[in-house]
Amino acid sequence: MWHEYNPNPYGIRAGDCAVRAIVAVTGKKWEEVYMDLCVLGLKYGDWGSKNHIWGAYLRDLGYEREAVSNDSPEYYTVEKFAEDHPDGVYILAISGHVVALINGDWFDSWDSGQCIPVYYWRKKGEE
């Protein structure tokens, strides 16, 4: 089930989806994650919203990346992923967007349930 979620202190709903998703799964403050990604982006010479930057950040926090299974149906949506993963904490990467999934519910500033995840992150050792 979708839950409207936007920790952005200015209520902005675009451009910071990676920050919002990381905040949702870690409980950190939006400002802290935003600054951490800015610093990491500076280190690598790219924007904090780029997949390889926020991915490196998650890796440093103990998350691992996995591809959505090839055994999944062709039209495998965020909503279907949520149904198949009723327990656990995930960050789903979809084309041009990032969404948090916690215990079968997705948290986002808009209902991204019909989007198709390409890969996902989860904390090492958590199923």
Side-chain angles (χ1 to χ4, degrees):
M1 170 184 286
W2 169 56
H3 296 271
E4 187 169 0
Y5 177 76
N6 187 3
N8 183 303
Y10 301 101
I12 296 170
R13 296 171 27 133
D16 69 335
C17 58
V19 176
R20 287 186 274 117
I22 293 169
V23 168
V25 302
T26 63
K28 293 181 177 214
K29 297 274 190 197
W30 184 93
E31 295 85 353
E32 177 185 359
V33 173
Y34 182 91
M35 287 305 298
D36 288 349
L37 291 178
C38 285
V39 170
L40 196 57
L42 181 62
K43 177 180 176 182
Y44 292 109
D46 212 340
W47 295 107
S49 62
K50 295 289 189 110
N51 292 353
H52 66 280
I53 301 298
W54 61 263
Y57 184 74
L58 287 174
R59 193 172 285 111
D60 288 347
L61 293 177
Y63 286 75
E64 58 188 357
R65 185 177 67 191
E66 296 191 29
V68 173
S69 171
N70 280 335
D71 295 332
S72 300
E74 187 173 319
Y75 192 69
Y76 192 63
T77 63
V78 168
E79 183 174 15
K80 181 64 176 148
F81 186 96
E83 289 172 11
D84 290 347
H85 298 84
D87 298 308
V89 175
Y90 301 86
I91 291 185
L92 306 178
I94 56 182
S95 182
H97 190 54
V98 184
V99 61
L101 181 79
I102 303 169
N103 296 325
D105 293 330
W106 61 99
F107 295 78
D108 204 347
S109 62
W110 57 281
D111 187 354
S112 53
Q114 296 307 304
C115 294
I116 305 204
V118 178
Y119 62 88
Y120 61 92
W121 290 86
R122 71 173 171 195
K123 192 88 168 194
K124 287 181 184 175
E126 293 182 5
E127 295 294 325

